[in-house]
Amino acid sequence: MSGLTEILLQLGVGIVPIGVAYLAFRSATDANKKTQQTAVLQAERQAELERSKVDADAFVRAKTIYEDALNQMERQVARVQTQANQVSSDLVTEQSGATAMRDQIRQLQAQIRAMERTVITLRSQLLAAGLAPAPVSEITGPYTLGPRPPE
């Protein structure tokens, strides 16, 4: 049996290095997987960081564009407000002028009515005195402004 024992002993001694080699292989494989997983996680983190940087840059650009547009709109609103104030002021001036003109027209109309009454009174007085009044055509016009034409 010494031959069988010797074979079993050699087999046992041979299996131990194979077991150790298998465990070393398994440990190396696991370590390699962990390294790859770590590398993948780091790559994902780096990609996320890059996306964050791109997003941050895009946000800054968008914010700058938005603020510039907002500033332009505020300036434009201020210009429109100034123009509206000027138009309002012009409107008040025009309304005041129109009111003054209406008042003058009313005064002139009142003066015309007074003159018409005076003319009627004078015509009646002329007729009562036995004098002939001026013909109607001369009273109603047409009248030209400026020097009288030669007759």
Side-chain angles (χ1 to χ4, degrees), residues 12 23 52 131 141:
L23 289 175
S52 295
L131 299 172

Side-chain angles (χ1 to χ4, degrees), residues 117-136:
R117 287 190 301 271
T118 302
V119 167
I120 291 170
T121 302
L122 290 173
R123 183 180 291 271
S124 298
Q125 289 174 353
L126 284 174
L127 289 173
L131 299 172
V136 175

Side-chain angles (χ1 to χ4, degrees), residues 25-67:
F25 171 76
R26 188 77 175 148
S27 294
T29 305
D30 288 345
N32 193 19
K33 283 182 185 178
K34 296 270 186 208
T35 302
Q36 287 177 351
Q37 288 174 350
T38 303
V40 167
L41 287 174
Q42 286 178 347
E44 287 175 354
R45 285 187 195 127
Q46 186 64 31
E48 184 62 32
L49 182 63
E50 291 299 320
R51 280 192 296 273
S52 295
K53 287 180 184 177
V54 169
D55 289 346
D57 290 343
F59 175 78
V60 168
R61 285 191 305 272
K63 181 180 174 191
T64 301
I65 291 169
Y66 173 77
E67 288 174 347

